[in-house]
C-alpha cells in the first residue's frame, strides 16, 4: 500500500489475506511461497476514500464499503 494499512482479514481455511489501506486500495495476498511469505495476488481500486468495511463474501468475491459512502463488489479471480 502507498500509506498505512488499515484492515487485515484472512479468508477462513485459505492462505489468503485481504488488506485495505489509506491509498483506498484492497489487496489480496496469498501465502504460497516456499519460505512461508506472501505475494500480491490481486489489487483492486475504486473507492474515493478508504474502505471502512470489507468481507470475503465467498472465496471469489469481496464486498467493501467505504467512507465515500460507496459499496463495491470485487472478484478475486477476474479483473473487472
Amino acid at each position: 500500500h502507498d500509506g498505512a494499512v488499515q484492515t487485515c482479514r484472512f479468508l477462513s481455511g485459505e492462505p489468503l489475506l485481504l488488506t485495505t489501506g489509506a491509498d483506498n486500495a484492497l489487496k489480496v495476498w496469498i501465502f504460497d511461497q516456499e519460505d512461508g511469505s506472501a505475494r500480491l495476488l490481486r489489487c483492486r481500486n475504486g473507492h474515493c476514500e478508504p474502505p471502512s468495511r470489507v468481507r470475503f463474501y465467498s472465496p471469489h468475491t469481496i464486498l467493501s464499503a467505504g467512507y465515500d459512502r460507496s459499496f463495491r463488489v470485487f472478484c478475486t479471480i477476474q479483473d473487472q
Side-chain angles (χ1 to χ4, degrees):
H1 290 281
D2 297 328
V5 173
Q6 297 184 322
T7 303
C8 294
R9 187 172 294 278
F10 279 97
L11 176 59
S12 181
E14 299 291 334
L16 299 175
L17 174 68
L18 172 64
T19 62
T20 65
D23 57 1
N24 308 337
L26 287 87
K27 294 186 178 189
V28 179
W29 305 86
I30 186 165
F31 289 84
D32 64 353
Q33 303 297 298
E34 288 183 20
D35 65 356
S37 64
R39 66 179 171 88
L40 182 62
L41 183 63
R42 296 270 188 243
C43 181
R44 297 289 182 256
N45 297 299
H47 286 285
C48 297
E49 295 202 25
S52 55
R53 298 279 189 255
V54 293
R55 297 290 185 270
F56 279 106
Y57 181 71
S58 73
H60 306 295
T61 307
I62 298 169
L63 306 177
S64 68
Y67 288 112
D68 58 0
R69 297 182 179 180
S70 67
F71 178 77
R72 305 259 185 226
V73 178
F74 296 98
C75 180
T76 61
I77 56 175
Q78 294 179 338
D79 290 326
Q80 301 181 11

